[in-house]
Amino acid sequence: KDQIATVINAGIFPILIYILKTANFDVRKEAAWGISNATSGGTSKQIRYLVSLGVIEPLINLLNVKDAKTINVALEGLENILGAGQKDAEEMGGNNPYVDKIDEISGIDIIEDLQFHENVDIYK
């Protein structure tokens, strides 16, 4: 959490998310690892910050790549984001706000399509 706060305070996440959106695949793959790690160890507030920067859409876009490991990294990041949203929803008595964000960009359809992915590690 302290390391993530340091990265936030240094202003690195906007750059990392820009890279996740625009760079070539190999660089995007590395950016996805950084984002996924941040969602794994981040607080709900830190994850809200990442979502406010627009991290969901580039993670959803990575679900369309051929590399199974990268797809799994993106899925883990999304799972962590959704988990934080669910925790927030339970504490505040509402719905998970990140489900709507994913649905707005047809992300739910993309995630559901992964159930039929050729790689067993993806759909299990």
Side-chain angles (χ1 to χ4, degrees):
K1 292 172 183 43
D2 290 341
Q3 291 171 327
I4 296 166
T6 300
V7 174
I8 289 171
N9 293 336
I12 293 172
F13 281 118
I15 298 164
L16 196 58
I17 292 169
Y18 176 78
I19 289 168
L20 190 61
K21 291 177 181 178
T22 62
N24 70 50
F25 173 71
D26 287 334
V27 177
R28 289 173 51 217
K29 179 172 60 172
E30 296 304 322
W33 276 103
I35 295 293
S36 185
N37 287 339
T39 64
S40 171
T43 65
S44 290
K45 182 179 179 183
Q46 291 168 334
I47 291 173
R48 276 194 300 274
Y49 172 70
L50 293 174
V51 171
S52 76
L53 295 176
V55 75
I56 289 177
E57 187 168 7
L59 286 175
I60 290 290
N61 290 340
L62 279 178
L63 300 180
N64 293 316
V65 302
K66 301 254 187 260
D67 183 61
K69 188 177 276 191
T70 300
I71 293 171
N72 274 325
V73 168
L75 282 171
E76 288 170 15
L78 290 164
E79 180 181 14
N80 295 333
I81 289 167
L82 286 168
Q86 187 60 38
K87 182 180 170 197
D88 286 351
E90 290 168 4
E91 289 175 3
M92 308 219 187
N95 294 325
N96 187 330
Y98 306 142
V99 171
D100 291 337
K101 288 189 180 293
I102 290 171
D103 194 29
E104 288 168 8
I105 56 172
S106 302
I108 292 173
D109 295 334
I110 294 168
I111 292 168
E112 286 176 349
D113 287 346
L114 290 175
Q115 295 176 71
F116 307 104
H117 197 276
E118 62 193 32
N119 187 316
V120 69
D121 292 331
I122 298 297
Y123 62 80
K124 69 177 184 180

